[in-house]
Amino acid sequence: MDMRFIVVTGGVLSGLGKGIVTSSLGKILQSRGYKVAPIKFDGYLNVDAGTMNPFRHGEVFVLADGTECDMDLGNYERFLGVTMNYYNNPTGGKIFKLVLDKERRGEYLGVDVQFIPHVTGEIREWVKKVGRDSKADFVLIEVGGTVGDIENSYFIEAMRQLKLEDPMKTMFVHVTLVPELKVVGEQKTKPTQQSVRALQGIGVQPDFIVCRCDEPLGKTPRKKIALFCNVPEGHVISDHDCKSIYEVPFVLEKEHFGDMVLKAFGLKAKGKDLKEWRGLVHNILNPKKEVTIGITGKYTALHDSYVSIVEALTHAGAHEETKVKLKWIETTSLKDPAKALKGIDGIIVPGGFGSRGAEGKINCIKYARENNIPFLGLCFGFQLAVVEFARNVCGMKGANSSEIDPKTRYPVIDYLPEQFEVEGLGGTMRLGAHRITLKKGSQVSKIYGGKTKIVERFRHRYECNPKYVKTLEKHGLVFSGTNSRGDIMQFLELPDHLFFIATQAHPEFQSRLERPSPPFHEFLKAASRKH
Ligand code: GLN
């Protein structure tokens, strides 16, 4: 087996951007000609992130195979262009479920099932399977949480054992915080020393220490960290603040991180570079134009809840040399859409669940439709656009989604038939990548380069009620995309509008910096024209 494992742990506090460091290192290794496979370990006992509140946990990202997962996997796909699956996001829940199911089948017969060797053994096998299946040269394993947590301790233990199998093939990278005390004007290394000691206490010596800091890491703290934490000075990497996450690969390149990692493994670079990426980052940092996009939502306080949408806009902006300014619109008590949408060049109504804020969103959609403001509806936004059109154009008073008003006279959005059969709420929505057939000559088909067959990702229980499709169409709504069978509506558009497009899908999940999502790209261009 020729693959290598790079395990990324975090110290001092959470939210240091371990995921971005891992993605950026992956990007650098790719640029050196190597194939990488990322893994994110999440210690919680939920099988997946699908049942978690995005307000607490950040966006639920959806993979092509329908896995609902942590938003870090979105960064991996965006940075590395890889398509991941269930196995790229082992969670405490998945690991224990595996072990318990095996135990019930009698596969450990005769022994008492223990954390060591059974749980840790399954984790080692899991990690190797991902590497084998993706034929990776490097498996990058980000351990969620902070060193010292109970939740990830058995996982780090498994990684310690992995290194023991072949010490030359596994490496540990520890990401920590180096705070600067403003009054003293000094970068402090003690928290790093202590978190490295915690790691050493469970048998792991980090090979590299990546220091998150405001300003580039100074000479003295670098020396100190090397000496106290038992690594060569060149293995202390400064990961100081920069303007865009997409710039981080270059911050790390300046520190020779990629070269040092390859050297430590005894490997050589194999050509290639980050030229295209560099050009796009240049555009992000030096925009020529600016647009303001409104995003409605009830989790407006946390931009993490909509991170894929924000990134999809950033990607489109990079290609258009346009800075995207965001205006979050809380719709719970929105009365006057004209006031709320003042000064915006386009509006996105994203995915959502439940009734809170829905009327405000419907009002915003009406305003955008009537005032020729570019509108992009995503999933719930698509459903509410149908509701708005039914009410205000087709005259179906009180039309609604049965998710919001189960007693509505006109349930224009209703349960997908298959949803009547599901049991439980975990992983039971219509999930993952599905084929979409686009109407020839429609705006949407043009946006996708004239294609009539595309694939996007989904996450929903409700759909446009087929019973009302004809009436809606008769009044001018064009359903320009359906599933292959033609019975689930997936795209809608209004022909005489500057840009009024909505989709039951979540195209934001497939947007990449190098390859922005077509609907987002066109939406941004329309907003730019409006501006
Ligand atoms: N709540 C809606 C549904 O389940 C929309 C879901 C979403 O926006 N992801 O169909």
Side-chain angles (χ1 to χ4, degrees), residues 351-353 379-380 383 403 459-462 506:
F353 294 83
C379 202
F380 200 45
Q383 298 174 353
E403 177 182 6
R459 182 174 189 247
H460 63 125
R461 273 186 217 290
Y462 294 81
H506 287 278

Side-chain angles (χ1 to χ4, degrees), residues 47-58:
V47 169
D48 59 47
T51 50
M52 284 186 225
N53 180 345
F55 187 64
R56 249 187 71 75
H57 188 76

